[in-house]
Amino acid sequence: MPLIEVRDLKTYFYTEDGVVRAVDGVDFTIEPEKTLGVVGESGCGKTVAALSVMGLIQTPPGRIETGEILYHRDGKVTDLTGLNPKGREYRSIRGNEIAMIFQEPMTSLNPVYTIGNQIMEAIILHQHLKKKEARKKAIEMLYAVGIPVPEQRVDEYPHQLSGGMRQRAMIAMALSCNPSLLIADEPTTALDVTIEAQVLDLMNGLRENFNTAIQFITHDLGVIAQMADDVVIMYLGKIVERATASEIFHNTKHPYTQGLMNSIPSLATTKKERLIPIKGVVPDPFEVPEGCGFEPRCPQAMEICKTKIPPLKEVASCHLAACWLYE
Amino acid sequence: MSSYNILLDVKNLKKYFPVRKGVLRRVVAHVKAVDDIDMYIKEGETLGLVGESGCGKTTTGRTILRLIEPTAGEVRFRSKKLAGQGEEYKEVDVATASRKTLKALRRDMQVIFQDPYSSLNPRMTVGAIVGEPLLVHRVAKGRERENRVRELLGAVGLKPDHMKRYPHEFSGGQRQRIGVARALALDPQLIIADEPVSALDVSIQAQVLNMLEDLQEEFSLTYLFIAHDLSVVKHISDRVAVMYLGKIVELCKTEELFTNPKHPYTEALMSAVPVPDPDYNVERILLEGDVPSPVNPPSGCYFHPRCRYAKDTCKTEAPVYRDLGNEHFATCHFADSLSLRPVRTG
Ligand SMILES: Nc1ncnc2c1ncn2[C@@H]1O[C@H](COP(=O)(O)OP(=O)(O)OP(=O)(O)O)[C@@H](O)[C@H]1O
Ligand SMILES: Nc1ncnc2c1ncn2[C@@H]1O[C@H](COP(=O)(O)OP(=O)(O)OP(=O)(O)O)[C@@H](O)[C@H]1O
Ligand code: SF4
Ligand code: SF4
Ligand SMILES: [Mg+2]
Ligand SMILES: [Mg+2]
């Protein structure tokens, strides 16, 4: 039984310049205790898809047009899109059961409160503990995420922590209620590699101890390889490929995913090899191609690609791709 | 003798920023952003400069160009444009050069910035931006200048009719191309590229890297390429310098660095890079703690609190930057005896 099933989700933004189809018919599932990696270039809809699950799409200008976000728990199924995002049930799910680490660290940490106060607030709100117990729990969480001298750090303000420590504090806060799903939006992009390695290692360890599923958003294929069990590749608001991590890397099907893999310089090769970039740029959100979104940049484009949108379908076992090459 | 020419020779370069406190703004300490570094760049090569945030990469680049005044040190540059009659080049110390010499030197040494969004004047057309250096240095004007701008835009893969447009009409990758065209305008010998692809998506990053390689060939450019992404640095560089807390801890040929590292920090840095292969599960070397503050660096070897090979001497004695032979430089007491893990290959 999956934890989250997203079906044909469409989230659009109505702006002065026109409609942005930020998420345009997306299907994916998150299994309990597994990590789903979401990859794609800037603007492809990774954050909007996550915010849709969280019920945090700002309306207006945004709106979930169609689709279902089925949340399975205790044998019950709830369609999150049917709940009032500001209502009691959604609020209790958010934070208690589904927690998120945001792309901008400063949007989730309030600069005027101590780290400890912010974690305690989440604990008191969701777990109904007394203040003293909540403080103890907050210190425990800071310890669990590897913050040295947590009894002291608990009383410090966000600006007193380094980038890596702030990221750890956010993870501590997100995990303090033992959520069944943790959505992590580029949690290490702003960090140095040696600190990133620490945080990724920490997240992998926590996943085992807390039995949490993770939706891990990144544009870094190296990070995905290290973290994800399953992967979805997004382009222009659509999923173009979806498979297990091993299939994505060893049996790449979609021309866009292949293009991404060829674009990254490898640490492994000893020879100086020329990179093979993807030509052109991601189209403007208001000038999305009529057929396959990748057609203007695709080296293998055919006539049909210009006019018809390829469906996401099985191209190998447990491996879906949206491309007319596999018709 | 060596068969190459040294274009830029940096010796004992230091840049300390004062830290001021209180109403009297008294100097209470110094940030040792660049702390006594030595390096040279050969004509036509790419020297990569890599290290974590705050280690002093940008300050090194800017001090070499003298966009900021060095605290101490020499920056010897062999200028072609300043060469007198019958001379192939003239050697100048950028660090002590007069204003006038410095202005002339600007034609030989150019910079490309990290942020393709804020580094271009939003109120100027692309033609004006790219042509500005030609105007400032009175190299070309009118029709001639326009033709040169056309040529430059062509060289970086943009179209001549882009001249009349404004930066906001371009994508990140295209803006970076505009910045490169501008840097090329005066036909420089050396380009210091400070994280030129860090803000770009991978598919666009590859386009810009290929372009920089092509331009290097076409215009015989020498690059100092600053980045924090080890894979990018490995791809583009002939030699690599690794910085930590204002010091160069290792410098050698690219292949040598990745197959035969001599400094424990290099080893850890290489091991931390996420490898795009889900079956790769060699245990990582995890460094403990954060990078210390450059205001108050640790005693002895700056790396000792995080180094897994540290011995007692490392706490008290600072290792010196030295040549281990074959142009392989490292700053570690035990560089000759440690056997460190190379990057994974194959
Ligand atoms: N509040 C909003 N109003 C209008 N458009 C929006 C809004 N939020 C997002 N968008 C648009 O939706 C699209 C998807 O944005 P999203 O933030 O999901 O991208 P992303 O994949 O997370 O990119 P990045 O890697 O840069 O974080 C973009 O075209 C973006 O401009
Ligand atoms: N103008 C300045 N005044 C005071 N300190 C400065 C100044 N410029 C830089 N520093 C400090 O000098 C050190 C080196 O900074 P620098 O910008 O050179 O690092 P960097 O390696 O380029 O980092 P990044 O990867 O984040 O760009 C840092 O500690 C920084 O805070
Ligand atoms: S559908 Fe056509 S254009 Fe799209 S990725 Fe496949 S081959 Fe390329
Ligand atoms: S000198 Fe000592 S502490 Fe410094 S890198 Fe070498 S072994 Fe490590
Ligand atoms: Mg995002
Ligand atoms: Mg910098």
Side-chain angles (χ1 to χ4, degrees), chain B residues 166-238:
Chain B
Y166 289 88
H168 74 263
E169 297 173 64
F170 293 88
S171 68
Q174 286 176 314
R175 286 183 218 200
Q176 205 53 290
R177 289 174 192 269
I178 297 168
V180 174
R182 183 189 155 93
L184 289 176
L186 297 168
D187 191 19
Q189 292 171 267
L190 175 73
I191 291 188
I192 298 190
D194 191 359
E195 312 251 13
V197 298
S198 304
L200 306 176
D201 271 323
V202 285
S203 75
I204 308 302
Q205 178 177 306
Q207 294 172 359
V208 173
L209 288 173
N210 281 353
M211 174 191 72
L212 289 173
E213 286 175 347
D214 293 343
L215 293 173
Q216 177 163 45
E217 185 122 319
E218 192 178 340
F219 299 104
S220 338
L221 297 168
T222 304
Y223 290 141
L224 175 62
F225 190 99
I226 299 174
H228 63 269
D229 184 331
L230 216 52
S231 317
V232 168
V233 166
K234 171 163 191 254
H235 175 79
I236 196 136
S237 310
D238 299 300

Side-chain angles (χ1 to χ4, degrees), chain A residues 41-42 162 192 194-195 198 201 222 225-226 249-250 260 263 265 267-269 272-275 277-278 280 297, chain B residues 52-53 201-203 207 210 214 231 234-236 258 273-279 284 286-287 289-290 306 344:
Chain A
E41 288 177 275
S42 188
S162 67
D192 279 319
T194 64
I195 310 298
Q198 293 171 358
D201 187 62
Q226 196 181 328
F249 283 93
H250 298 313
L260 282 183
S263 299
L267 266 190
T269 52
K272 196 164 169 172
E273 280 174 3
R274 201 164 164 83
L275 299 172
I278 302 175
R297 306 178 74 189
Chain B
E52 293 179 277
S53 186
D201 271 323
V202 285
S203 75
Q207 294 172 359
N210 281 353
D214 293 343
S231 317
K234 171 163 191 254
H235 175 79
I236 196 136
F258 288 88
V273 177
V275 179
D277 176 359
D279 300 332
R284 282 168 201 287
L286 286 180
L287 286 183
D290 284 324
R306 303 175 83 197
R344 180 197 77 138

Side-chain angles (χ1 to χ4, degrees), chain B residues 263-265 301-305 307-311 314 317 319 331-335 338:
Chain B
H263 196 282
Y265 178 64
C301 172
Y302 287 2
F303 187 55
H304 89 255
C307 180
R308 52 193 211 143
Y309 307 101
K311 303 232 167 53
C314 304
E317 270 168 62
T331 314
C332 169
H333 293 305
F334 307 108
L338 288 174

